């Protein structure tokens, strides 16, 4: 009997536990919050990621460890690595925790990135804005996610720089800061990829994503840009995976501008833009992650039809309009509603882009979410 330990007990851990059940796996989740939603399906150790007693108990009850949350302190990941196999490795985890290290690696590997500069103090912000130009985005180097810890500068007036520093300057000692050029992208895409312990590498079809206020709102697969673009995105993901000796699933998020790709960031874990793989692919990202970290053969990442995932933020809508669709799938994470919180998602799957556009139209109207489905329908109809 193999027990997989998961650091972090959110919806990703929960969906991993559900995907691992048919493989006969057991799970143990470590989270600082007792009502973390993965705890509804797996036993938990409640404690902070830096609490050595909690980590020791966790390590003593598992055969292997992985993550649902990438901001686990590097020391804790290393401490665990000395006791049990941990995938992905702490180096890959540590690198993706720091936007500056991550973008520097992209650049070293020849993967295009928006211009960026480290900002160490207020004068550094002036210098970075002078070099990069506006519009640009000031971001925390560490601990930012879903658009949190970001400030957009539309111009280089003194008031704008003051406002940016007022918003994030206090973070400089704790998280570091980075200034990035703003990319007026035509589309955001992601590649979800998996690499096995033996180096076998697979990707799911390229995914198109739409964000609202920095948070993922909808994903569409396949994205159906040119085959050349998909090959380029896949090649970048493979280069990164090999350079980091990565084992497991990760997502590479990219901007598409003037027919070219630019990397934004890597998420060293199963990813929200890959949730559609549960019903839309031969093997889901969750099951392939487990197969990869356990050294089992990877499953096919072949897609079945066309899929759109809609995120539910804040509160769950009525399930019936989605459940009434033959290709409709509902995921309620069992969380308390709270503004800005990811509480669930739906995946709509159909055999053709036209059928998917019609289904999304019906669901969007029934749930009063026309704005959320509109850009996806437009992308499907432009094919
Ligand atoms: P991040 O936390 O870096 O993934 O940012 C969240 C979202 O903010 C991205 O998915 C984009 O929609 C937007 N964003 C972040 N960085 C940039 C950038 N350099 N240029 C344009 N949009 C950006």
């Amino acid at each position: 009997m193999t027990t997989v330990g998961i650091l972090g007990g959110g919806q990703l851990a929960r969906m991993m536990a559900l995907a691992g059940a048919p493989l006969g796996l057991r799970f143990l989740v470590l989270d600082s919050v007792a009502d973390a939603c993965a705890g509804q399906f797996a036993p938990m150790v409640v404690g902070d990621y830096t609490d050595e007693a909690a980590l020791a108990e966790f390590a003593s009850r598992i055969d292997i460890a992985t993550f649902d949350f990438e901001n686990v302190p590097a020391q804790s990941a290393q401490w665990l690595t000395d006791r049990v196999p941990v995938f992905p490795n702490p180096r890959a985890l540590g690198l993706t925790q720091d936007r500056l290290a991550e973008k520097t690696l992209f650049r070293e590997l020849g993967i295009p990135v928006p211009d960026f500069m480290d900002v160490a103090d207020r004068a550094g912000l002036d210098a970075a804005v002078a070099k990069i130009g506006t519009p640009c985005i000031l971001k925390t180097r560490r601990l930012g996610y879903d658009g949190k810890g970001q400030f957009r500068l539309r111009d280089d007036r003194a008031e704008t720089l003051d406002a940016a520093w007022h918003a994030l300057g206090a973070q400089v000692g704790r998280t570091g800061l980075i200034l990035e050029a703003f990319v007026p992208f035509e589309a955001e895409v992601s590649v979800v990829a998996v690499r096995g312990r033996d180096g076998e590498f697979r990707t799911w079809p390229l995914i198109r994503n739409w964000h609202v206020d920095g948070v993922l709102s909808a994903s569409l697969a396949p994205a159906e840009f040119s085959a050349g673009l998909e090959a380029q995105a896949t090649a970048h993901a493979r280069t990164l995976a090999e350079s980091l000796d990565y084992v497991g699933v990760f997502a590479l998020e990219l901007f598409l501008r003037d027919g070219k790709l630019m990397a934004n960031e890597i998420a060293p874990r199963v990813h929200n833009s890959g949730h559609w793989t549960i019903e839309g692919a031969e093997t889901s990202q969750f099951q392939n992650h487990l197969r990869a970290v356990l050294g089992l053969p990877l499953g096919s990442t072949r897609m079945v039809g066309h899929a759109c995932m809609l995120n539910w933020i804040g509160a769950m809508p009525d399930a019936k309009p989605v459940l009434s669709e033959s290709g409709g799938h509902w995921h309620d994470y069992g969380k308390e509603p709270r503004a800005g919180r990811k509480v669930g998602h739906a995946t709509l799957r159909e055999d053709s882009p036209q059928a998917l556009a019609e289904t999304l139209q019906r669901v969007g109207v029934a749930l009063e979410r026309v704005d959320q489905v509109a850009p996806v329908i437009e992308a499907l109809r432009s094919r």
Side-chain angles (χ1 to χ4, degrees), residues 69-320:
F69 175 71
E70 67 263 48
N71 287 319
V72 170
Q75 308 89 291
S76 306
Q78 190 54 55
W79 189 93
L80 269 180
T81 305
D82 297 338
R83 285 153 183 87
V84 286
V86 178
F87 296 107
N89 65 67
R91 181 179 153 249
L93 191 77
L95 195 123
T96 57
Q97 286 173 351
D98 180 357
R99 292 183 192 274
L100 183 69
E102 183 177 67
K103 291 206 158 61
T104 306
L105 178 71
F106 290 148
R107 205 176 249 173
E108 280 166 12
L109 294 175
I111 300 170
V113 273
D115 210 3
F116 64 90
M117 229 174 123
D118 186 24
V119 172
D121 50 29
R122 180 66 177 79
L125 176 63
D126 293 352
V129 172
K131 178 170 172 284
I132 287 170
T134 54
C136 54
I137 309 189
L138 184 65
K139 297 182 180 179
T140 57
R141 273 172 55 179
R142 297 172 178 279
L143 303 175
Y145 66 98
D146 284 349
K148 294 181 179 67
Q150 303 193 4
F151 189 95
R152 296 190 184 192
L153 292 94
R154 289 174 214 290
D155 55 63
D156 61 359
R157 289 180 307 146
E159 304 95 275
T160 309
L161 272 76
D162 284 343
W165 195 254
H166 181 71
L168 293 177
Q171 304 289 336
V172 75
R174 195 173 70 93
T175 63
L177 295 172
I178 182 173
L179 190 79
E180 291 177 19
F182 181 84
V183 182
F185 53 77
E186 283 112 46
E188 289 191 83
V189 296
S190 57
V191 196
V192 178
V194 60
R195 186 165 177 271
R197 282 204 202 181
D198 60 358
E200 182 183 0
F201 178 83
R202 292 177 187 242
T203 55
W204 283 266
L206 192 64
I207 305 154
R208 180 158 180 190
N209 301 313
W210 288 267
H211 290 82
V212 174
D213 298 330
V215 183
L216 187 66
S217 168
S219 292
L220 174 65
E224 279 189 8
F225 292 109
S226 71
L229 200 82
E230 175 148 11
Q232 202 184 86
T234 303
H236 292 334
R238 182 191 281 270
T239 304
L240 281 163
E242 288 175 357
S243 112
L244 294 168
D245 193 20
Y246 196 93
V247 173
V249 165
F250 67 98
L252 171 63
E253 296 183 57
L254 303 134
F255 300 126
L256 174 64
R257 192 189 176 203
D258 296 335
K260 295 197 189 72
L261 293 170
M262 285 181 139
N264 177 31
E265 65 176 353
I266 319 172
R269 51 172 169 73
V270 287
H271 191 249
N272 197 165
S273 71
H275 288 359
W276 62 270
T277 60
I278 297 173
E279 295 92 4
E282 201 71 61
T283 314
S284 77
Q285 61 166 352
F286 300 99
Q287 182 156 121
N288 255 351
H289 180 71
L290 293 166
R291 293 190 194 200
V293 303
L294 292 166
L296 296 170
L298 301 183
S300 164
T301 50
R302 193 174 65 85
M303 227 199 127
V304 190
H306 296 255
C308 172
M309 189 266 340
L310 299 170
N311 254 356
W312 305 136
I313 313 283
M316 292 299 291
D318 178 13
K320 286 185 221 71

Side-chain angles (χ1 to χ4, degrees), residues 7 30 32 47-55 71-76:
L7 289 118
L30 175 66
S32 55
D48 201 80
Y49 302 117
T50 53
D51 173 350
E52 222 171 90
L55 277 175
N71 287 319
V72 170
Q75 308 89 291
S76 306

